């Protein structure tokens, strides 16, 4: 079906649309959008939705942006196409763009400004191709996908739209050639040690929050992990202490744990909690705060949505690779709604200041999205 559709479309406008998409991505990237502070970017995206004559354009309290491309038949659930707006970079980050032949560099350009621009290209491309979808297409730009956002934007979006859609296509800018059909479980803990503290010379020997936390971190790195289902951990941040010559009264580490199965993740977390209990005493108190809990879910590799996503890639000359990961797609998958995450182009150095996208594959990425 997708192959036949591909053959009926005159793609002569695709090159121009790809150039336009990259420029839209740069315009989006130039607006700072740290997680929890996406309002300015959301307003820009909403204005772009209105320019494209989408209906029911709205920004909610979390700065999620909604727009509706109405289908030709009423009464049946539609499809949601989404791409998150937030970035890992603080508001003061240098967002300068550099161009080098086929590459465009810019912090947050690939993750996920080019993905959001892909939403705009989808609407424009369907119109240029003269295609009116049979069912409603909700075009949505959620927030809070990165870091401690804990998929909060998509949770709110899906709660609102789940009765109106029966499938989700999520877009991550740099994922071209990949089809994510499973969302892994993620748990994030902030573990804090507290002690009485004191002077490094006068009170030497008293428990230190930092020393205790270092002991805990060392123990965590010795814990066994599973290869199947794949289970991982990472201590991403450590903070605490008052001065170099003070016995620390407080220190914290931030632990990211992931697994392909919720049960395996729970087992690993229990091992971490046992290590904490073993190190706790009357003089050293530990506290645990859950700062992230991303749900898991999946659809089968032979699910029709997965097969169509692979077929769309094949139409543009790419052999798709099936993947698991943590994206906004986790939310609908955890609720039993079929979802895939796909990409717009290739690139690299995501979450770094020298992040970049490749320009030439963008046309293929847009064509793939339109077909799917």
């Amino acid at each position: 079906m997708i192959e036949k559709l591909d053959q009926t479309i005159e793609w002569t406008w695709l090159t121009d649309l790809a150039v336009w998409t990259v420029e839209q991505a740069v315009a989006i990237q130039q607006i700072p959008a740290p997680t929890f502070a996406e309002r300015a970017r959301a307003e820009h995206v909403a204005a772009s939705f209105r320019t494209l004559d989408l209906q029911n354009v709205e920004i909610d309290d979390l700065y999620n942006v909604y727009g509706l491309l109405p289908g030709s038949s009423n009464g049946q659930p539609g499809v949601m196409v989404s791409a998150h707006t937030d970035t890992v970079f603080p508001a003061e980050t240098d967002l300068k763009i550099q161009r080098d032949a086929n590459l465009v560099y810019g912090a947050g350009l690939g993750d996920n400004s080019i993905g959001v621009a892909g939403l705009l290209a989808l609407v424009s491309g369907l119109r240029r191709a003269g295609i009116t979808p049979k069912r409603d297409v909700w075009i949505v730009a959620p927030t809070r996908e990165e870091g401690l956002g804990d998929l909060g934007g998509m949770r709110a979006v899906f709660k609102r739209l789940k009765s109106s859609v029966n499938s989700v296509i999520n877009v991550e800018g740099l994922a071209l050639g990949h089809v994510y059909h499973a969302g892994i479980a993620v748990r994030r803990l902030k573990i804090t040690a507290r002690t009485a503290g004191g002077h490094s010379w006068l009170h030497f020997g008293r428990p230190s929050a930092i020393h205790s936390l270092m002991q805990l971190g060392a123990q965590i790195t010795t814990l066994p992990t599973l290869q199947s289902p794949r289970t991982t951990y990472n201590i991403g941040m450590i903070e605490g202490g008052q001065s170099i010559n003070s016995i620390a009264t407080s220190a914290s580490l931030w632990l990211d744990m992931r697994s392909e199965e919720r049960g395996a993740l729970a087992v690993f977390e229990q091992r971490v909690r046992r290590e904490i209990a073993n190190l706790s005493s009357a003089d050293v108190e530990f506290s645990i705060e859950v700062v992230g809990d991303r749900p898991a879910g999946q659809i089968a590799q032979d699910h029709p949505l997965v097969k169509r996503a692979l077929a769309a890639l094949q139409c543009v000359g790419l052999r798709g690779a099936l993947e698991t990961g943590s994206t906004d797609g986790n939310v609908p998958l955890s609720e039993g709604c079929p979802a895939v995450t796909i990409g717009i182009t290739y690139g690299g150095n995501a979450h770094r200041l020298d992040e970049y996208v490749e320009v030439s594959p963008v046309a293929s990425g847009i064509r793939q999205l339109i077909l799917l």
Side-chain angles (χ1 to χ4, degrees):
M1 182 170 63
I2 283 181
E3 293 84 351
K4 290 182 180 179
L5 175 62
D6 185 42
Q7 294 169 4
T8 64
I9 297 175
E10 293 286 343
W11 294 103
T12 53
W13 41 264
L14 187 58
T15 299
D16 288 341
L17 181 60
V19 172
W20 178 83
T21 302
V22 173
E23 294 310 311
Q24 293 300 308
V26 170
I28 293 166
Q29 180 267 350
Q30 289 291 292
I31 304 169
T35 303
F36 306 118
E38 306 95 339
R39 180 173 181 173
R41 185 173 289 189
E43 290 173 346
H44 174 88
V45 172
S48 298
F49 282 6
R50 294 187 183 98
T51 299
L52 290 168
D53 294 326
L54 290 179
Q55 297 183 12
N56 300 354
V57 176
E58 182 182 344
I59 302 174
D60 69 16
D61 292 342
L62 299 184
Y63 312 132
N64 299 310
V65 188
Y66 303 80
L68 174 64
L69 182 63
S72 59
S73 60
N74 297 320
Q76 293 182 316
V79 59
M80 181 202 307
V81 186
S82 61
H84 73 86
T85 55
D86 59 321
T87 77
V88 300
F89 301 101
E92 63 273 15
T93 301
D94 183 358
L95 299 178
K96 179 175 59 178
I97 290 290
Q98 292 184 330
R99 300 175 187 264
D100 180 13
N102 186 47
L103 306 180
V104 183
Y105 292 83
L109 184 59
D111 186 11
N112 192 33
S113 296
I114 192 72
V116 179
L119 302 181
L120 308 180
L122 169 63
V123 178
S124 179
L126 288 171
R127 295 236 170 90
R128 295 185 193 209
I131 297 173
T132 300
K134 291 183 179 180
R135 302 191 184 192
D136 289 349
V137 180
W138 283 95
I139 308 295
V140 185
T143 58
R144 304 190 180 192
E145 194 274 345
E146 300 285 7
L148 297 179
D150 203 31
L151 309 185
M154 179 56 91
R155 292 178 198 264
V157 165
F158 191 72
K159 181 178 181 180
R160 175 173 175 171
L161 294 181
K162 65 180 179 180
S163 63
S164 302
V165 301
N166 61 10
S167 58
V168 175
I169 300 169
N170 184 52
V171 181
E172 284 283 349
L174 301 181
L176 181 62
H178 301 274
V179 177
Y180 288 79
H181 68 100
I184 61 175
V186 180
R187 288 272 286 182
R188 289 168 172 165
L189 306 179
K190 181 185 180 183
I191 304 168
T192 301
R194 293 183 176 86
T195 66
H199 190 282
S200 63
W201 174 259
L202 297 177
H203 304 124
F204 177 72
R206 286 187 183 179
S208 162
I210 288 179
H211 293 185
S212 299
L213 201 70
M214 290 172 68
Q215 285 180 286
L216 174 62
Q219 288 299 109
I220 290 174
T221 63
T222 67
L223 295 177
T225 57
L226 296 174
Q227 293 298 316
S228 181
R230 188 179 180 219
T231 304
T232 68
Y233 66 86
N234 179 62
I235 300 173
M237 295 184 291
I238 296 178
E239 57 192 20
Q242 301 87 260
S243 69
I244 192 171
N245 60 330
S246 298
I247 297 173
T249 59
S250 178
S252 302
L253 66 78
W254 301 70
L255 177 65
D256 175 282
M257 302 172 292
R258 303 178 180 226
S259 181
E260 292 175 331
E261 290 186 4
R262 173 67 66 177
L265 186 64
V267 169
F268 186 82
E269 182 177 341
Q270 283 304 114
R271 289 173 178 162
V272 172
R273 289 178 178 268
R274 281 199 295 269
E275 295 297 335
I276 293 171
N278 291 338
L279 288 170
S280 299
S281 68
D283 298 319
V284 183
E285 175 189 342
F286 284 90
S287 63
I288 304 170
E289 179 185 359
V290 178
V291 294
D293 190 9
R294 296 187 174 204
Q298 63 180 343
I299 53 177
Q301 296 183 6
D302 61 353
H303 188 281
L305 183 57
V306 176
K307 293 169 72 173
R308 289 167 184 162
L310 293 173
L313 283 169
Q314 189 172 9
C315 284
V316 301
L318 298 175
R319 182 175 180 178
L322 297 179
E323 303 284 358
T324 63
S326 179
T327 71
D328 272 335
N330 286 37
V331 173
L333 286 170
S334 71
E335 297 265 357
C337 177
V340 292
T341 295
I342 62 173
I344 295 295
T345 188
Y346 304 123
N349 299 342
H351 294 191
R352 286 175 27 175
L353 294 177
D354 59 348
E355 183 175 328
Y356 66 89
V357 300
E358 296 183 26
V359 174
S360 58
V362 170
S364 294
I366 295 169
R367 181 176 170 186
Q368 161 221 210
L369 178 57
I370 292 170
L371 290 172
L372 181 55

